Amino acid sequence: MKQYLSPVAAKLPPSGIRKFFDLVSTMKNVISLGVGEPDFITPWTVRESGIFSLEQGQTMYTSNSGIFELREALTRNMSKNFGVEYNPHDEVLVTVGASEAVDLVMRALVGPGDAVLIPDPSYVSYAPCATLAGAEVHYIPTRAEEGFRLRVEDLEQAYTPNAKLLVLSYPNNPTGAIMTREDYLPIAKFVSEHDLIVLSDEIYSDLTYDGTHTAFASLPLMKNRTLHVSGFSKSYAMTGWRVGYVAGHSDLIQALTRIHQYTMLCAPITAQVAALEALRSAEQSMRDMVGTYDRRRRMMVHGFRKMGLSCFEPLGAFYVFPDISATGLTSEEFAEQLLREENVAVVPGTAFGPSGEGHIRCSYAYSTEQIQEALNRMERFVQKRL
Amino acid sequence: MLTNEDRKLLELISTDYRLSTDELSIQTGLSKEYVEERIKQWEEEKIIVQYNPLINWERTGEPIVTALIDVKVLPQRGYGFDKVAKRLQKFPEIKAVYLMSGGYDLSILIEGKTMQEVALFVAEKLAPLEHIQSTATHFILRRYKQDGVELLGEEEAPERLVISP
């Protein structure tokens, strides 16, 4: 029946993650460091408020833009944490996860003839969403020597006159890299000079381990040019609830809202109610989770360096992206052989783009016992090949 | 007042005191020497009082009974609560003594092998003490949660997708 698919749908490749997922699912007793979601359960106060809202019969549609109190709470949060002011009436849209926000931005801003600039390696969804919108994708390589930060020289190289949208995603999945204000300034200047719009996916903004997070929208002249995308999945362990948001200039947000109103109508009401509760009462739980991630992060970086692999220190998200090239294996070979020999699953860096070659992504959203066991097995594996 | 780093270190020790100084140093980013020095200082200052695991004795099948006793004390001039508490804490059966606000003065936790043993202890050793006006004994029938840990029927470990983006 495949002949009935649209050309775009037919040509869309399965993600590199999917391929590996299928392989790992066939095996038993695997320690998998391959997840992209917290190992915590949503804090009880948040779950309880969702449950209570259902008991109270809150099961209807909400406003397309999302519950107003939630939008208000989000704008207060962004003001407090990033120093950026948004109007909850028309500059914020609550979406079905940050994923929907990314898709909306692509569909509202780019189309055939436009190019989207995406740092490489990066999260698996940006390029496919651009392709689905009909745009072409230009990758901007990032390097371990630079802590996988985006450099304006590379941005200049990748830029073409039809480039309309730049995707930024810091703290970064898969590298764990962050960008400081100083790192961002030349990028902001370039964006301004070349009349670009920026999709800044900052979903890991609460998961930073060295100083505060800089929101791209807080840079000079960047607020109107930035669509700030974020969510609750990583900070509050709410991946399955499907609730996120995007904030930006009202002209752009209204366009996103128009698409959203036809395709989704609104984000799930239970998730919105729970998200509001998270902002009101779960900050300490969130800080506790981040404290735990921080300890595990140090453990993992120490572990990789100890076994002789080069590993830059990630300062955000919950991933470590060590360099495995010293073993002489490619990322895919490393991941497959490690899985078969030691029953440890990691994600090959190439699943996130060509610049991921020579690296693997390891998540530390696991207990310290599992992390230690995985490191022990990996050390055995690596020692044989150094 | 603890610094942020000290607080994180102390909290880490309180969740798992079996972590070696190496592991504590790696996970906190503090030097091994600093960690050892702090622990020694805290032990000397009795901030770290003891290293005890939380043992759920009921699960061993061994008979164990715990009671919380509300004690009303007749405070006398010059005697006060502290002296009574100090007297009580000398009994090895008494595991905890707390001075309380509200309807009674001291809360005492006693462990024994049987309810009768505990009740007899209260009647013969505790209640007759000078300055003890009255006691009310409550037996713990079931522990659901202790020291922040749920003891019965844990929440199911969440099933995550093995690999996710």
Side-chain angles (χ1 to χ4, degrees), chain A residues 17 20-21 24 32 34-39 41 47 123-124 173 295 298-299 302 361 365-366 368, chain B residues 8 11-12 15-16 18 23 25-30 155-165:
Chain A
I17 294 256
F20 213 64
F21 173 85
V24 176
S32 172
V35 298
E37 60 179 332
D39 57 321
I41 306 178
R47 277 183 279 161
Y123 182 60
V124 301
N173 173 5
R295 288 200 295 273
R298 294 177 199 273
M299 232 182 114
H302 174 91
R361 187 194 79 174
Y366 286 94
T368 46
Chain B
K8 284 184 191 165
E11 278 171 4
L12 187 53
T15 51
D16 191 353
R18 291 170 308 162
E23 287 166 319
S25 162
I26 290 167
Q27 289 189 34
T28 57
L30 301 164
E155 240 167 8
E156 300 256 329
E159 285 283 329
R160 290 186 289 178
L161 296 177
V162 201
I163 305 264
S164 48

Side-chain angles (χ1 to χ4, degrees), chain B residues 53-83:
Chain B
L54 175 61
I55 296 183
N56 190 350
W57 287 102
E58 284 161 32
R59 285 190 161 225
T60 65
E62 293 261 304
I64 183 149
V65 163
T66 314
L68 290 165
I69 326 276
D70 307 337
V71 179
K72 273 216 184 82
V73 171
L74 271 168
Q76 290 219 341
R77 197 193 164 107
Y79 211 95
F81 296 116
D82 282 2
K83 248 182 153 175

Side-chain angles (χ1 to χ4, degrees), chain B residues 134-146:
Chain B
S134 69
T135 62
T137 303
H138 311 280
F139 286 99
I140 292 180
L141 297 180
R142 185 170 293 161
R143 292 170 205 261
Y144 293 99
K145 190 177 187 184
Q146 184 155 334

Side-chain angles (χ1 to χ4, degrees), chain A residues 7 29 81-82 89 134 137-138 145 159 177 188 334 341 360 370:
Chain A
N29 297 323
N81 291 342
F82 310 136
H89 285 100
V137 171
H138 297 157
E145 309 83 77
Y159 175 81
F334 186 101
E341 256 180 59
I360 50 168
Q370 281 217 288

Side-chain angles (χ1 to χ4, degrees), chain A residues 99-151:
Chain A
S99 300
E100 192 214 347
V102 168
D103 186 35
L104 289 174
V105 169
M106 295 291 178
R107 281 196 282 169
L109 265 86
V110 298
D114 295 326
V116 176
L117 300 161
I118 304 180
D120 163 35
S122 68
Y123 182 60
V124 301
S125 296
Y126 307 132
C129 284
T131 307
L132 284 166
E136 62 195 60
V137 171
H138 297 157
Y139 287 107
I140 316 167
T142 59
R143 296 172 203 79
E145 309 83 77
E146 317 243 345
F148 289 103
R149 286 170 294 179
L150 180 63
R151 286 288 169 245

Side-chain angles (χ1 to χ4, degrees), chain A residues 206-217:
Chain A
D206 285 317
L207 276 62
T208 50
Y209 308 108
D210 191 24
T212 50
H213 170 80
T214 302
F216 190 76

Side-chain angles (χ1 to χ4, degrees), chain B residues 81-109:
Chain B
F81 296 116
D82 282 2
K83 248 182 153 175
V84 179
K86 282 194 175 125
R87 181 84 191 273
L88 289 170
Q89 67 191 29
K90 293 199 192 308
F91 290 100
E93 299 87 338
I94 294 182
K95 303 295 182 197
V97 181
Y98 306 124
L99 179 66
M100 307 295 284
S101 70
Y104 59 93
D105 306 312
L106 295 174
S107 180
I108 290 172
L109 195 149

